[in-house]
């Protein structure tokens, strides 16, 4: 807590309201840092709980969230900070396997602290000169890793918006007059294609951009979750026969649930044949571009795409959020979205206004998501990222080996292509049952119960979900740099401890 002389101070006693307030300001901020460092320490403490679960009504009673009429003391604000983190899920904990984005990279976090302190907007070079140039350098490096020279990119607020920017640029490329004349000027029903395993944000482009989801054709995938190219071509021809206008195909590089990679070369051939835009949603699998060992064949042909989504906040472990969208053709993004607001994007500035990025997107205000990635890349080097990717894949292979050594307790659903390990946990009572539809039904029913026990115990978090081929199953994600083989062993032991009697 704050020193006696400062413990009753309020925000009006610190900078900028009190010009003499630097000592109190410094003490308050250093105390906040202490609270954050305690959280970092317990996030990395395997004996600390990942979460202290309470149902919403109970959680409300534990928290004091009321909005006061008069301001509270700085001391109370410190208490508020501690309480907030006390009930926050530690997504950086070595036993948190729940989402695609997890881990707590501390250099990236330090970058985020600086980002908050700089508190600037990314729409013009004028107020973010260093960060704009960093974006320029980092995004160019990422385009080189995709296999392009030139082109253009930008950071977007998440993979869904990155995919949307690709859709908008594709439509603009094919129908440039749409921008002024609207949908009626297109003179036909646009149709987009994607696999039935793709991220739902692809389908939402169809509703957001006026196609209607009926015109986002979900192409069947094979049993490994990969789009079936012959089906794609069949469905394109079917729509053309109806006089529709196919214009956009999404290939997924790393599907959300099972981590499948669509075969890009075959899809690129079809796009070439019918003059369709090829977008690769590599939000999840893009990180493997950094690994010479794993980039091929999963991402072979990605350089043939017209646009690529790649989220460093996923496999690369940059802090949330950090999502990038890349275009092979330079100039498309600005021509698609430019509105030339003269109060931001004056053309008579003293510097080269091509460095003003705001008019490339539909956002106006854009958060600085680049610094935490740039700083992390400075810390790891490209080779450090490659080691990170290879390590994640190695740990996944270790987990698969361990699961196969316990066929009585775990059933591996399919060999992973990425770090998504999909399996069922087998409680004692089903271990002698044949693996029939009846047993699978039971296994699906226990997932939410076992997950509930994990959260009540606070010792483990592994995600589960159904898909179009089977009821609930566990999907384990290893994308945190904190995870070791011992953590994988803990996961397998802990699930059995919590679930054997289900
Ligand atoms: O960035 C993430 O952590 C993320 C994004 C998703 O769309 C879906 C998931 C997920 O299914 O874990 O994670």
């Amino acid at each position: 807590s704050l020193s006696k002389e400062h413990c009753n101070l309020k925000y009006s006693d610190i900078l900028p309201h009190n010009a003499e307030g630097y000592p109190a300001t410094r003490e308050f901020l250093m105390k906040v840092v202490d609270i954050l460092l305690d959280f970092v320490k317990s996030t990395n403490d395997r004996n600390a709980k990942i979460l202290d679960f309470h149902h919403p009504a109970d959680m409300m009673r534990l928290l004091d969230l009321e909005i006061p009429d008069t301001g509270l003391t700085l001391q109370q604000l410190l208490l508020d900070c501690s309480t907030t983190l006390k009930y926050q899920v530690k997504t950086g904990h070595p036993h948190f396997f729940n989402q695609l984005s997890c881990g707590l990279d501390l250099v990236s976090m330090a970058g985020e602290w600086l980002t908050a302190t700089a508190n600037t907007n990314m729409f013009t070079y004028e107020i973010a000169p260093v960060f704009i140039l960093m974006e320029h350098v980092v995004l160019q490096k990422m385009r080189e890793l995709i296999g392009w020279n030139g082109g253009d990119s930008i950071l977007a607020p998440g993979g869904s918006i990155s995919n949307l920017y690709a859709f908008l640029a594709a439509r603009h490329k094919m129908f440039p007059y749409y921008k002024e004349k609207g949908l009626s000027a297109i003179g036909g029903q646009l149709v987009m294609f994607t696999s039935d395993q793709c991220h739902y944000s692809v389908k939402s482009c169809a509703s957001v951009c006026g196609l209607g989801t009926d015109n986002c054709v979900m192409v069947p995938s094979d049993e490994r979750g990969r789009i079936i190219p012959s089906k794609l071509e069949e469905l394109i021809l079917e729509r053309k026969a109806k006089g529709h206008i196919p214009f956009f195909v999404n290939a997924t590089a790393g599907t959300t649930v099972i981590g499948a990679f669509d075969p890009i070369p075959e899809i690129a051939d079809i796009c070439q044949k019918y003059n369709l835009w090829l977008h690769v949603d590599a939000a999840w699998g893009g990180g493997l571009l950094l690994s010479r060992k794993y980039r091929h064949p999963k991402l072979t042909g990605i350089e043939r795409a017209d646009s690529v989504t790649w989220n460093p906040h996923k496999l690369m472990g940059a802090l949330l959020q950090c999502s990038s969208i890349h275009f092979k053709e330079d100039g498309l993004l600005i021509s698609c979205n430019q509105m030339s607001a003269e109060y931001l994007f004056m053309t008579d500035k003293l510097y080269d206004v091509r460095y003003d990025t705001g008019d490339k997107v539909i956002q106006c205000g854009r958060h600085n998501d680049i610094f935490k990635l740039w700083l992390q890349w400075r810390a790891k080097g490209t080779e450090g990222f490659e080691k990170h990717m290879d390590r994640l894949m190695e740990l996944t292979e270790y987990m698969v080996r361990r699961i196969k050594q316990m066929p009585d307790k775990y059933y591996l659903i399919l060999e992973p292509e990425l770090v998504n390990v999909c399996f069922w946990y087998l409680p004692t009572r089903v271990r002698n049952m044949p693996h029939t539809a009846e047993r699978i039904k039971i296994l699906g029913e226990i997932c939410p119960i076992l997950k509930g026990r994990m959260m009540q115990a606070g010792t483990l978090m592994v995600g589960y979900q159904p898909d179009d081929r089977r009821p609930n199953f566990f999907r384990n994600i290893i994308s945190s740099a904190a995870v070791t083989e011992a953590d994988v062993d803990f996961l397998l032991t802990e699930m059995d401890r919590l679930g054997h009697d289900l």
Side-chain angles (χ1 to χ4, degrees):
S1 55
L2 292 167
S3 59
K4 262 204 312 306
E5 63 176 310
H6 293 152
C7 66
N8 290 319
L9 295 186
K10 293 195 164 187
Y11 91 102
S12 48
D13 297 310
I14 60 174
L15 296 176
H17 312 280
N18 170 7
E20 311 307 315
Y22 180 71
T25 306
R26 179 181 166 76
E27 190 190 356
F28 171 69
L29 291 177
M30 292 309 281
K31 294 291 179 205
V32 172
V33 170
D34 287 340
I35 292 166
L36 302 182
L37 292 174
D38 287 346
F39 187 75
V40 167
K41 225 160 57 181
S42 66
T43 292
N44 286 282
D45 172 3
R46 287 173 169 76
N47 300 319
K49 280 186 163 185
I50 298 170
L51 76 161
D52 179 6
F53 177 79
H54 296 274
H55 288 281
D58 302 333
M59 187 62 99
M60 275 304 269
R61 277 190 286 278
L62 285 166
L63 302 170
D64 161 19
L65 300 182
E66 67 148 325
I67 304 298
D69 289 336
T70 53
L72 307 172
T73 63
L74 299 179
Q75 185 56 42
Q76 178 56 47
L77 303 185
L78 293 175
L79 269 179
D80 292 343
C81 291
S82 301
T83 308
T84 299
L85 290 179
K86 175 175 164 40
Y87 293 106
Q88 168 52 29
V89 176
K90 297 183 181 67
T91 58
H93 191 292
H95 301 157
F96 179 87
F97 301 93
N98 208 64
Q99 305 309 150
L100 304 185
S101 303
C102 51
L104 184 61
D105 181 293
L106 297 178
V107 169
S108 192
M109 185 182 77
E112 198 68 330
W113 287 4
L114 181 143
T115 297
T117 311
N119 190 36
T120 190
N121 214 312
M122 293 294 283
F123 40 46
T124 61
Y125 177 84
E126 200 172 325
I127 61 167
V130 179
F131 302 131
I132 287 284
L133 294 179
M134 270 175 197
E135 242 185 10
H136 198 76
V137 169
V138 171
L139 293 173
Q140 185 172 354
K141 175 73 184 170
M142 294 176 82
R143 289 198 301 276
E144 282 166 17
L145 285 160
I146 291 170
W148 299 336
N149 321 314
D152 191 16
S153 323
I154 199 151
L155 292 179
S160 302
I161 303 301
S162 288
N163 287 336
L164 178 64
Y165 284 158
F167 178 99
L168 292 173
R171 185 171 59 179
H172 180 70
K173 172 77 179 173
M174 301 203 164
F175 308 96
Y177 39 83
Y178 163 81
K179 185 173 178 179
E180 285 82 16
K181 305 299 179 198
L183 270 177
S184 56
I186 288 183
Q189 177 60 59
L190 292 184
V191 188
M192 62 192 290
F193 300 80
T194 186
S195 90
D196 56 16
Q197 299 294 312
C198 76
H199 191 264
Y200 73 90
S201 60
V202 175
K203 192 174 181 181
S204 75
C205 290
S207 79
V208 166
C209 300
L211 267 61
T213 51
D214 289 353
N215 297 298
C216 176
V217 179
M218 310 306 280
V219 181
S221 56
D222 63 20
E223 72 290 340
R224 303 195 54 183
R226 300 174 182 173
I227 198 170
I228 301 171
S230 58
K231 290 279 183 197
L232 169 63
E233 184 159 21
E234 212 177 282
L235 289 162
I236 290 167
L237 291 170
E238 198 179 288
R239 287 299 184 119
K240 285 171 80 80
K242 288 181 182 167
H244 292 174
I245 311 172
F247 85 109
F248 184 95
V249 175
N250 171 63
T252 306
T255 59
T256 307
V257 175
I258 56 180
F261 287 79
D262 287 342
I264 298 172
E266 293 160 84
I267 300 167
D269 290 345
I270 293 171
C271 290
Q272 207 169 329
K273 185 173 174 183
Y274 296 99
N275 184 30
L276 307 179
W277 180 283
L278 173 57
H279 175 61
V280 176
D281 179 359
W284 176 218
L288 288 194
L289 287 169
L290 289 150
S291 164
R292 282 165 295 185
K293 182 176 179 187
Y294 292 105
R295 172 188 179 124
H296 295 291
K298 301 175 201 289
L299 291 152
T300 304
I302 193 167
E303 72 286 350
R304 296 179 60 185
D306 298 297
S307 51
V308 175
T309 292
W310 175 0
N311 287 6
H313 71 226
K314 289 189 165 68
L315 274 182
M316 293 170 78
L319 259 57
L320 288 163
Q321 73 197 11
C322 188
S323 174
S324 62
I325 174 67
H326 305 273
F327 294 92
K328 182 183 278 176
E329 181 183 336
D330 193 359
L332 206 48
L333 206 51
I334 186 92
S335 109
C336 173
N337 297 316
Q338 184 171 36
M339 289 292 156
S340 311
E342 71 290 345
Y343 45 79
L344 272 178
F345 310 116
M346 298 71 86
T347 51
D348 53 1
K349 293 187 180 180
L350 78 160
Y351 61 84
D352 177 351
V353 292
R354 278 175 304 172
Y355 286 95
D356 286 353
T357 60
D359 226 2
K360 289 184 177 179
V361 287
I362 60 176
Q363 287 165 242
C364 185
R366 198 160 62 82
H367 186 257
N368 168 6
D369 289 335
I370 190 62
F371 186 73
K372 66 194 163 204
L373 173 60
W374 177 82
L375 198 68
Q376 188 193 14
W377 213 317
R378 295 277 281 186
K380 293 173 90 93
T382 304
E383 67 187 34
F385 271 126
E386 178 173 45
K387 283 198 190 78
H388 174 64
M389 297 303 153
D390 293 349
R391 178 69 179 136
L392 296 178
M393 295 295 279
E394 183 185 30
L395 281 164
T396 302
E397 286 150 17
Y398 175 79
M399 181 167 179
V400 168
R401 274 200 309 281
R402 297 284 290 115
I403 282 182
K404 289 177 175 174
Q405 289 162 0
M406 303 183 234
D408 56 328
K409 294 179 181 172
Y410 292 96
Y411 182 96
L412 185 71
I413 291 173
L414 79 164
E415 295 291 335
E417 285 192 72
L418 193 47
V419 297
N420 310 39
V421 180
C422 298
F423 63 92
W424 278 297
Y425 169 70
L426 310 174
T428 315
R429 69 183 167 101
V430 302
R431 286 176 189 168
N432 298 322
M433 279 176 74
H435 193 65
T436 60
E438 186 205 347
R439 182 166 97 151
I440 290 173
K441 184 171 177 297
I442 296 169
L443 299 179
E445 286 158 357
I446 71 157
C447 289
I449 305 165
L450 180 45
K451 178 62 182 285
R453 289 187 179 183
M454 291 184 210
M455 292 178 70
Q456 307 275 5
T459 53
L460 182 64
M461 280 184 79
V462 178
Y464 73 84
Q465 71 291 299
D467 72 4
D468 41 354
R469 290 186 168 89
R470 49 190 79 87
N472 287 331
F473 55 96
F474 286 105
R475 174 206 68 171
N476 194 70
I477 299 292
I478 301 178
S479 78
S480 161
V483 172
T484 64
E485 283 82 357
D487 299 313
V488 172
D489 293 340
F490 172 82
L491 182 164
L492 296 169
T493 312
E494 181 68 358
M495 279 189 91
D496 191 30
R497 182 184 75 82
L498 292 169
H500 66 277
D501 61 343
L502 278 174

